[in-house]
Amino acid sequence: MGGVTSSSAGGGGGGETVLGDLPESCVAEVLRRLDPPEICRMARLSRTFRGAASGDGVWEAKLPRNYARLLAAAADGEAAALEAVEAIPKKEVYARLCRRNRLDGGTKEFWLDKGGGGVCMTISSRALSITGIDDRRYWNFIPNDESRFHAVAYLSQIWWFEVRGEVEFCFPEGTYSLFFRLHLGRPLKRLGRRVYSSEHIHGWDIKPVRFQLSTSDGQQAQSKCYLTDPGVWINHHVGDFVVKSSNEPVKIQFAMVQIDCTHTKGGLCVDSVAVKPQYLAKKKASRIYV
């Protein structure tokens, strides 16, 4: 390897071998074994590397098996997208799926993780079934620039606390984790600084909140905890589930409840529910402070 230089020229004096002399097919085989960010960096080395890094074979290896279905979901027109997908360069398919693709009127979004190629999804509080959401004595949707959806459901006070939701989607094969993104207290901005109001926070230290997860193929998970730590966003890990086939949609149902009516509770923001590959979830603790 000592005779290989970093020059992009097609030839060189003294019979030296340069990067431009390598066959593009050989370079492509090397790139197929790299992560997408590494492929993009290698594309800067020479014209040969740049050509190989645009090849369909390199990027198709990084796409999930069901990328055509995912592209159809992103395009919001399955039949047309499935017909056109073969004509789109695979690098462009990968780039499109890495964008935040919104579904169901903008209340859900999914994207590919650029580092590992796994599918992530977030579900807005507006897509959840929340007991009492239509009564402003209990709940309100308030603007919040810390939310991906720019609004969160804020609870002032209630006896029967119940938040449920479901999503049906063709996730690629793998193990996934599900989280509720919550915040005790109402986030505010004062004089350019982030603060929060603790006015309505009460009742969460008396009984734990129960979290539940189930899938259409019979998987189940449960967890519970007391809600603490006001003033920070917490991603509470509900549980994990396994997708065995990317060709069949899996329905996921999830909930957080505290229906002990011996006391009221309040002062809670419900932002969203997140589904992410387990390899991403393991990089961070189940409680994430933002």
Side-chain angles (χ1 to χ4, degrees):
M1 296 297 291
V4 178
T5 74
S6 60
S7 171
S8 62
E16 291 182 341
T17 301
V18 296
L19 287 178
D21 295 332
L22 294 174
E24 192 170 296
S25 60
C26 293
V27 175
E29 283 301 315
V30 173
L31 298 183
R32 282 166 59 91
R33 291 161 172 78
L34 302 180
D35 293 332
E38 294 173 325
I39 295 172
C40 294
R41 287 194 292 269
M42 295 294 284
R44 303 171 188 166
L45 290 179
S46 74
R47 184 179 301 171
T48 303
F49 274 74
R50 186 163 58 252
S54 298
D56 280 355
V58 170
W59 289 100
E60 190 161 17
K62 306 303 172 185
L63 288 165
R65 292 184 185 179
N66 65 340
Y67 68 85
R69 287 181 176 270
L70 297 176
L71 188 63
D76 196 23
E78 184 169 353
L82 285 173
E83 291 176 3
V85 67
E86 293 304 322
I88 304 174
K90 298 304 181 286
K91 183 178 179 180
E92 175 61 22
V93 172
Y94 194 92
R96 289 190 189 184
L97 293 180
C98 284
R99 302 169 192 162
R100 297 192 178 275
N101 302 285
R102 296 223 160 174
L103 308 171
D104 296 344
T107 60
K108 303 181 180 74
E109 62 179 23
F110 78 93
W111 67 97
L112 284 186
D113 168 51
K114 291 181 180 179
V119 170
C120 306
M121 175 176 283
T122 54
I123 303 159
S124 165
S125 56
R126 292 189 183 274
L128 304 178
S129 176
I130 302 176
T131 299
I133 192 64
D134 296 325
D135 193 327
R136 289 197 171 188
R137 293 175 299 172
Y138 308 130
W139 289 92
N140 287 278
F141 285 106
I142 61 173
N144 186 276
D145 58 9
E146 297 173 338
S147 168
R148 294 190 189 281
F149 301 95
H150 308 295
V152 299
Y154 178 70
L155 172 66
S156 299
Q157 177 174 288
I158 206 165
W159 292 87
W160 185 286
F161 177 84
E162 186 173 18
V163 178
R164 296 187 179 273
E166 66 177 39
V167 63
E168 188 170 11
F169 196 72
C170 283
F171 287 96
E173 294 95 337
T175 302
Y176 293 84
S177 300
L178 187 140
F179 299 82
F180 271 88
R181 189 169 189 256
L182 310 170
H183 186 286
L184 272 181
R186 180 168 181 164
L188 302 168
K189 286 286 184 68
R190 289 180 182 166
L191 302 176
R193 296 182 58 191
R194 185 192 188 280
V195 296
Y196 75 96
S197 169
S198 60
E199 177 185 1
H200 298 121
I201 300 175
H202 69 283
W204 304 109
D205 56 345
I206 300 174
K207 292 289 181 66
V209 177
R210 297 183 180 275
F211 297 85
Q212 303 166 356
L213 161 68
S214 64
T215 66
S216 52
D217 59 359
Q219 300 177 71
Q220 295 186 358
Q222 296 185 10
S223 60
K224 62 181 179 179
C225 76
Y226 293 91
L227 299 185
T228 58
D229 304 318
V232 294
W233 286 105
I234 298 173
N235 288 344
H236 181 80
H237 181 208
V238 178
D240 301 333
F241 63 95
V242 177
V243 175
K244 297 180 180 179
S245 173
S246 61
N247 294 320
E248 297 294 333
V250 58
K251 179 182 285 188
I252 310 157
Q253 296 180 313
F254 44 85
M256 61 177 296
V257 297
Q258 215 289 39
I259 56 178
D260 186 325
C261 292
T262 61
H263 65 284
T264 61
K265 37 267 175 188
L268 178 69
C269 290
V270 178
D271 173 36
S272 58
V273 171
V275 179
K276 61 184 67 175
Q278 192 182 61
Y279 72 83
L280 281 177
K282 285 184 174 180
K283 290 181 179 180
K284 301 179 181 180
S286 61
R287 289 192 167 196
I288 301 173
Y289 300 87
V290 180

